[in-house]
Amino acid sequence: MLVHQAVLLCLPLIASAAVAGRWAPPDPLEVVELAAPDASVKANFIARGATLTNFWVKDKNGNFRDIILGFDNHTNYVTDDLGHPYFGPIVGRYANRIKNGTFSVPVSANITASTPNVYHTPENENNGTDTLHGGTDGFDRRTWTIANKSESSVTFSLLDPDGMQGFPGNVYTEVVYTLEPNSTWKISIHAAADQETPIMLSGHHYWNLEAYEETQDLSGHYAQFNASRIIAGNAQLIPDGTLLNVSGTPADFRQAKSLGEAINATVAGEYCGAGCVGFDNCWVYDNNTGTTPIFSLWSVNSGIRMDVITDQPALQVYTCDGIYNASLPIPRKEAQGGNSTFYENHSCLVIEQESWIDAINYPDFGIDQIYGPGRDYHWQSSYIFSTL
Ligand SMILES: *[C@@H]1O[C@H](CO)[C@@H](O)[C@H](O)[C@H]1NC(C)=O
Ligand SMILES: *[C@@H]1O[C@H](CO)[C@@H](O)[C@H](O)[C@H]1NC(C)=O
Ligand SMILES: *[C@@H]1O[C@H](CO)[C@@H](O)[C@H](O)[C@H]1NC(C)=O
Ligand SMILES: *[C@@H]1O[C@H](CO)[C@@H](O)[C@H](O)[C@H]1NC(C)=O
Ligand SMILES: *[C@@H]1O[C@H](CO)[C@@H](O)[C@H](O)[C@H]1NC(C)=O
Ligand SMILES: *[C@@H]1O[C@H](CO)[C@@H](O)[C@H](O)[C@H]1NC(C)=O
Ligand SMILES: *[C@@H]1O[C@H](CO)[C@@H](O)[C@H](O)[C@H]1NC(C)=O
Ligand SMILES: *[C@@H]1O[C@H](CO)[C@@H](O)[C@H](O)[C@H]1NC(C)=O
Ligand SMILES: *[C@@H]1O[C@H](CO)[C@@H](O)[C@H](O)[C@H]1NC(C)=O
Ligand SMILES: *[C@@H]1O[C@H](CO)[C@@H](O)[C@H](O)[C@H]1NC(C)=O
Ligand SMILES: *[C@@H]1O[C@H](CO)[C@@H](O)[C@H](O)[C@H]1NC(C)=O
Ligand SMILES: *[C@@H]1O[C@H](CO)[C@@H](O)[C@H](O)[C@H]1NC(C)=O
């Protein structure tokens, strides 16, 4: 706490020093290898984006599998030679979409030329019509500082200076990754700002609980989560301000079901934007207490099960439509089929525990995402693995 307060008091100084480049930047590709005290789970991270590059858990036969998508050649995380799918980082300062790259503080609906305190962020998605994951230089593209480390835990910190990507105020963020006994990965994020600013952070991990061993799709992946509503969006996934009742639709996961079948039950453009099959949507959890698992995913083939406890009110689920680009296919990791195979559409799942998408443009949602002096940002999730 004291360290944290000191950092905050010094924010403007630290920011100007960082901007002036007076401190040598840390190595973006330094690998941090962690293992749980009981060796039940292992994970590797790099400082670039505070990114998870590998995550090994045991399958039903007791064999470790790396169940996270990524690049074996870490240089690709920096060069974008194989595109920029946001493989494994923390996304921010404001995750997900911002309509028209525009918001105001205090927030308002339908911003016009006369709206006070309007800010603009880079419109890096959909031909320049909205901001995705904090802009062209989001938290995922920064090199974080390794602030603390043990055999089972690492703390990455990042100072996001005032005005960066158009956001007001300095934001100091710490993310703590801890591998706990019984195959548990805990992520805690704390951010503090010296001016009022929107903050929404999340982990952006692509999961395939089979490591592509038994199948190449999600037919054997099952999901269950209590969410009776999704935030309705337009063809660019920008909210229209309404909520959709999922009852009786392919988006209803209150009863466990196969993700592969659910994806096939959708039609192009129904949920995940123009031409897209499957999902890329923000579900609102029903009565999430933050004390018991609210989201579960498992593979009947590998026997690996993941249960998530989170303090977040919503969840973005993306079923990897569009990850395969025929003119620039992404080779799989050696442990997931190797570089003669590619990451295919609908073969993986991104789950982002977070707040309501673009609530900074929809005050009617009633979700306050403005943080600053007197109001720090907190995010905590635990991913608990077991076998069927
Ligand atoms: C990794 O990727 C970089 C950038 O494309 C390339 O220059 C380098 O040769 C690659 N390294 C290996 C070991 O393939
Ligand atoms: C969209 O943002 C641009 C600046 O990037 C601004 O000129 C325009 O008024 C905004 N449009 C709406 C509808 O908010
Ligand atoms: C914003 O625009 C929408 C659509 O035109 C309208 O329904 C809504 O009432 C407007 N909200 C405000 C606060 O002006
Ligand atoms: C971007 O614009 C091009 C050319 O107008 C169009 O073909 C493409 O569909 C647009 N993409 C998106 C995501 O809107
Ligand atoms: C650094 O990590 C160790 C071990 O996880 C922990 O006991 C200690 O409190 C941490 N120190 C700080 C300053 O966070
Ligand atoms: C691991 O889980 C088992 C079964 O749920 C429990 O009995 C045991 O106490 C747990 N061990 C630790 C270190 O949490
Ligand atoms: C989904 O549809 C594809 C394409 O038709 C098919 O290959 C696949 O087997 C289907 N998956 C499931 C789980 O039905
Ligand atoms: C959602 O739709 C179902 C089926 O039509 C209905 O029973 C339920 O009451 C609706 N829920 C809400 C919150 O409107
Ligand atoms: C949350 O729980 C309350 C009380 O148990 C209930 O009235 C409400 O319908 C629930 N909300 C949702 C979205 O399920
Ligand atoms: C999910 O909903 C079911 C049925 O209402 C309920 O039994 C279960 O406890 C809920 N789970 C959580 C984690 O809220
Ligand atoms: C696919 O990759 C090509 C070559 O890098 C790129 O020009 C194109 O924009 C990509 N298409 C999509 C939809 O991202
Ligand atoms: C592809 O993988 C093989 C190992 O199976 C390795 O020898 C080779 O360097 C890789 N090629 C590239 C372009 O990374």
Side-chain angles (χ1 to χ4, degrees):
M1 254 311 152
L2 282 176
V3 170
H4 183 73
Q5 281 159 1
V7 168
L8 253 191
L9 286 172
C10 296
L11 268 183
L13 269 179
I14 296 171
S16 59
V19 168
R22 266 177 276 157
W23 293 339
D27 175 5
L29 298 184
E30 178 172 352
V31 176
V32 176
E33 299 182 9
L34 302 184
D38 63 357
S40 56
V41 54
K42 300 182 288 182
N44 287 358
F45 302 87
I46 54 172
R48 170 85 171 187
T51 295
L52 174 73
T53 59
N54 304 83
F55 193 86
W56 293 273
V57 293
K58 286 179 180 167
D59 63 19
K60 63 184 176 188
N61 299 317
N63 299 319
F64 277 112
R65 298 193 193 193
D66 180 0
I67 58 172
I68 209 82
L69 276 65
F71 301 119
D72 273 342
N73 181 349
H74 288 178
T75 305
N76 291 315
Y77 285 101
V78 175
T79 58
D80 292 349
D81 286 351
L82 294 171
H84 192 75
Y86 301 89
F87 271 158
I90 297 295
V91 284
R93 168 188 309 199
Y94 191 89
N96 219 325
R97 278 87 189 166
I98 301 175
K99 179 171 68 172
N100 193 39
T102 307
F103 63 89
S104 68
V105 180
V107 302
S108 41
N110 306 335
I111 288 172
T112 66
S114 59
T115 308
N117 305 320
V118 172
Y119 297 89
H120 295 291
T121 50
E123 288 156 71
N124 59 333
E125 209 200 17
N126 292 318
N127 291 338
T129 53
D130 67 275
T131 299
L132 177 64
H133 298 325
T136 47
D137 193 3
F139 282 18
D140 61 290
R141 292 177 192 266
R142 313 284 177 81
T143 297
W144 295 55
T145 300
I146 299 170
N148 193 14
K149 195 166 66 169
S150 72
E151 285 180 359
S152 59
S153 182
V154 61
T155 302
F156 289 103
S157 67
L158 178 73
L159 181 71
D160 187 32
D162 181 18
M164 186 84 168
Q165 301 291 282
F167 291 101
N170 294 292
V171 172
Y172 178 75
T173 302
E174 284 187 350
V175 53
V176 186
Y177 296 127
T178 308
L179 299 185
E180 298 177 339
N182 272 351
S183 307
T184 297
W185 179 30
K186 182 174 164 187
I187 312 176
S188 294
I189 310 178
H190 181 197
D194 63 359
Q195 279 184 52
E196 291 208 308
T197 184
I199 299 177
M200 177 151 88
L201 306 175
S202 193
H204 197 281
H205 314 108
Y206 286 74
W207 302 95
N208 179 299
L209 300 186
E210 298 170 5
Y212 292 91
E213 284 186 24
E214 289 89 355
T215 72
Q216 315 303 311
D217 61 21
L218 294 175
S219 54
H221 277 69
Y222 285 70
Q224 191 282 324
F225 51 99
N226 286 357
S228 58
R229 299 169 299 167
I230 59 174
I231 297 174
N234 66 13
Q236 278 79 43
L237 304 176
I238 305 299
D240 64 10
T242 66
L243 295 166
L244 283 182
N245 180 348
V246 300
S247 192
T249 74
D252 190 347
F253 285 92
R254 289 172 295 177
Q255 302 289 326
K257 64 183 182 186
S258 155
L259 273 159
E261 287 174 15
I263 290 167
N264 281 7
T266 71
V267 299
E270 188 178 9
Y271 290 104
C272 51
C276 174
V277 174
F279 304 99
D280 192 359
N281 300 94
C282 185
W283 275 260
V284 176
Y285 286 132
D286 295 340
N287 292 320
N288 180 21
T289 60
T291 54
T292 54
I294 188 75
F295 176 91
S296 300
L297 177 72
W298 61 91
S299 161
V300 294
N301 298 316
S302 68
I304 294 172
R305 177 182 174 104
M306 173 170 82
D307 293 291
V308 181
I309 298 176
T310 182
D311 61 3
Q312 295 299 297
L315 165 81
Q316 185 84 12
V317 176
Y318 166 53
T319 51
C320 290
D321 189 279
I323 194 176
Y324 182 79
N325 178 343
S327 55
L328 192 67
I330 303 175
R332 289 192 214 154
K333 289 178 178 178
E334 197 60 36
Q336 296 173 348
N339 59 24
S340 61
T341 63
F342 301 102
Y343 291 125
E344 305 279 351
N345 289 341
H346 308 148
S347 73
C348 47
L349 191 72
V350 179
I351 54 166
E352 299 155 65
Q353 311 298 329
E354 63 193 22
S355 183
W356 294 38
I357 178 173
D358 204 15
I360 52 175
N361 277 301
Y362 296 91
D364 285 354
F365 287 165
I367 307 290
D368 183 1
Q369 297 172 336
I370 303 297
Y371 298 85
R375 186 172 190 233
D376 286 2
Y377 174 91
H378 296 275
W379 185 108
Q380 187 164 297
S381 302
S382 288
Y383 297 74
I384 303 157
F385 293 86
S386 56
T387 50
L388 301 179

